Amino acid sequence: MARKTDIPPSYYGEPRKFDPTFRGPIQDRGCTDVVCCVLFVVVILGYIALGTVAWIHGDPRKVVYPTDSHGQFCGQQGTPNEKKAILFYFNILQCASPAVLINLQCPTTQLCVSKCPDRFATYLDMQYNYRYNKSYWDYYKQFCKPGFDNPRKSIAQVLRDEDCPSMIVPSRPFLQRCFPDFITRNGTLTVANKTNFKDGLGNLRSVIDLRHAANQVTAMQQGVESGITSLLDAKEVGMKIFEDYANSWYWILIGLVITMLVSLVFILLLRFTAGVLLWLVIFGVIAVVGYGIWHCYWEFSTLKGKRHLDSDVTISDIGFQTDFRVYLQLSQTWLVFMISLSVMEAVILIILFFLRRRVRIAIALLKEGSRAIGYIMSTLFYPILTFVLLAICIAYWAVTAVFLASSGDPVYKVMSTQDKCMYSNITCNPEAFSQTNVTKVCPGSQCTFAFYGGESLYHRYILVLQLCNLLVFLWLVNFTIALGQCTLAGAFASYYWALQKPQDIPPCPVLSSFSRAVRFHTGSLAFGSLILAIVQTFRVVLEYLDHRLKGAHNTFARFLICCLKCCFWCLEHFIKFMNRNAYIMIAIYGKNFCTSAKDAFYLLMRNVVRVAVLDKVTDFLLFLGKVLISGSVGVLAFFVFTRKIPVIQEEVPSLNYYWLPLLTVIFGSYLIAHGFFNVYAMCVDTLFLCFLVDLEVNNGSAARPFYMSSSLRHILNKKNQKRRKDKSLR
């Protein structure tokens, strides 16, 4: 009776005939998942239509420029406010009302001005000084409504008609708005060296009141409650940061180029160093745990020998202690440590003994991946195309989101300083507001601009359109990543299935794989990407709900949201894992998404231990590589920016904050190394699946030879029989 390995089942479950002309991924293939491909194209056209509609109705000026109480933009070219780019609050003290954070609008008149005031002044002081010097009015009227030129008008009438502010305070622009110019001196908050000032009605007020009002406005504009006090010197710090980057960009670029070269060399050298690095770490862990066992035994023996110090007291005798050092004086503590480390050491040795062969296979595949990249160097440059496509997707999504958010007409609301005003926060018409009785019922109320909106069908479904924008954006991003994975998988598969390497590797494998993926499998890639995008959209919605429920006291709702977030996180990572392997099968065999995902899943489940070992070994080595590269380049950058290298000490500029360029180099180095190692990880995963298929399909005979490398055949004790020459061809 023949053994199963003599005539193995094919990958497709039926007897497979070996094709001697096979040179990698199947060339003769058809289109897959056509329905999803058509849907994907229709959605893209609809996405373009959505962007066009948003472009027509939206106005990004509503986001870029601040808007005054009459709905006019500050600083917009071609308008009367062209040279008035800063928003000024008539009475910023009124912004201290809690209604600011509820209604997102400060209940005081807001005016566009060309500059912020630089001194303390009140309308009453201006009227008094105006009798002796006309220049006081010339300065003060800059902050009054355009056209108002009656400095003798009483303060009561001015406040009633909202002609001028009752007071002005020294301010400076921040977020294109005038905020009090706070300065901390010797721990005391001041404005123009003053801690107190007079308001428009002659009352003495503290600078703390100004800070509270500024905090409310800052929280309203930024959506956070960080306040203005944490941003006192933001402009000065920003200028220094800009100066540091302007002086050090050349050295930052050099560091990133060095990272690219080191990452490339590291990947190419893994064929020689992968085994050494892994075994050094494994034996290092064994040695460290062994030393821990010896140290625990030494401490235990020492404490047992000191009977007079009551070292035989048990942990249960002393109970719970906040000082951990108390437990270290007990021999029982070190006995527990020694037993725990001994069990850990035994588990590591047992696992290593039984999995030693699989670890050797993982190392051989890592080396083979390095060799494959060495033969197909163009794969290292493909992530540039992925980066460009992702940048286009992100830019289109951001622009569409801004235009959707800025769609609508100005909406005006009644703003009142009185908490019990019955008309507060209702919609009003600024042109007819003076003819209503609102100001009589609620004195001091104003009809001010609140936000942009509308009552049309389009405006009512802005939120739905934003969700659609998010869903399609995630779909396009995942499709771009899937296209890259499928392209790289096809290129590396052509390397594996070349019997004679590198002679049998087809020309331009990356370009050929890319054309096959786009021409035949756009639908399959879109199918897998859509599943992942839907799950990610649910995760975004759950994060939003969790953020909104943070202040709520409904414990069950928050618990349910937390459980759902955990479940969808696990689901997303599982789908990413399955999609990745499905794309590899699509690139090789040209089947549809569901069939490829099913076959990849069963193939991996039949080799689950090998999958676990290879996955952990690969993750560890790649993480080690990223840390080594970013860390070494970061150390070099530290010595450069701190001017501790004598050879280039004079060329390196003196920096205000040397750690900013340093962190930029470290972060950029990590991202570059991550990009290179993603290609390497895709290579290893592709070679691994090809290796598993090779084991199941072929048996080393002349008709079905193994395509794996000689090192893998040696580990598995597999051999290829030499093919005899056909006499009929002589």
Side-chain angles (χ1 to χ4, degrees), residues 649-661:
Q649 188 174 11
E650 299 299 329
E651 287 77 8
V652 178
S654 180
L655 303 174
N656 298 299
Y657 309 106
Y658 73 87
W659 50 270
L660 275 174

Side-chain angles (χ1 to χ4, degrees), residues 267 270 274 361-373 488-489 492-493 495-496 580-581 584 604 610-611 613-619 621-622 677-692 712:
I267 290 176
L270 274 178
I361 293 174
I363 294 174
L365 284 170
L366 290 171
K367 294 180 178 180
E368 193 67 17
S370 175
R371 191 175 293 109
I373 292 179
L488 294 176
F492 292 126
Y495 164 84
Y496 184 92
R580 185 183 181 93
N581 291 283
I584 295 174
L604 294 174
R610 285 174 176 164
V611 172
V613 172
L614 179 72
D615 185 60
K616 296 306 175 185
V617 169
T618 304
D619 288 346
L621 283 182
L622 295 186
F677 289 166
N678 269 349
V679 176
Y680 181 71
M682 195 68 203
C683 176
V684 174
D685 289 345
T686 303
L687 297 181
F688 179 58
L689 284 186
C690 293
F691 165 73
L692 296 180
L712 284 171

Side-chain angles (χ1 to χ4, degrees), residues 88-91 108-109 111 121-124 126 140-145 155 158-159 162-168 200:
F88 171 73
Y89 297 91
F90 267 29
N91 188 357
T108 186
T109 302
L111 189 71
T122 66
Y123 186 80
L124 294 175
M126 182 277 302
Y140 201 88
K141 72 177 182 181
Q142 299 178 82
F143 309 103
C144 297
K145 286 185 176 180
I155 181 65
V158 166
L159 294 180
E162 305 171 14
D163 295 320
C164 281
S166 61
M167 67 172 183
I168 58 175

Side-chain angles (χ1 to χ4, degrees), residues 255-271:
L256 298 181
V257 171
I258 292 175
T259 301
M260 294 177 62
L261 297 177
V262 173
S263 300
L264 177 60
V265 173
F266 185 88
I267 290 176
L268 296 179
L269 290 181
L270 274 178
R271 71 181 73 177

Side-chain angles (χ1 to χ4, degrees), residues 321-335:
Q321 299 291 329
T322 56
D323 188 0
F324 185 73
R325 290 174 297 181
V326 175
Y327 298 103
L328 299 181
Q329 304 301 321
L330 304 179
S331 60
Q332 189 183 49
T333 302
W334 294 102
L335 179 62

Side-chain angles (χ1 to χ4, degrees), residues 343-402:
V343 172
M344 184 185 301
E345 185 87 331
V347 170
I348 292 175
L349 292 175
I350 292 173
I351 292 177
L352 186 62
F353 176 78
F354 286 103
L355 298 182
R356 65 189 186 280
R357 189 175 181 182
R358 290 180 172 84
V359 172
R360 291 175 62 197
I361 293 174
I363 294 174
L365 284 170
L366 290 171
K367 294 180 178 180
E368 193 67 17
S370 175
R371 191 175 293 109
I373 292 179
Y375 287 131
I376 314 177
M377 294 286 290
S378 56
T379 53
L380 293 175
F381 300 98
Y382 183 84
I384 297 176
L385 176 60
T386 301
F387 174 80
V388 172
L389 295 176
L390 288 177
I392 294 174
C393 293
I394 294 173
Y396 189 86
W397 165 78
V399 171
T400 303
V402 168

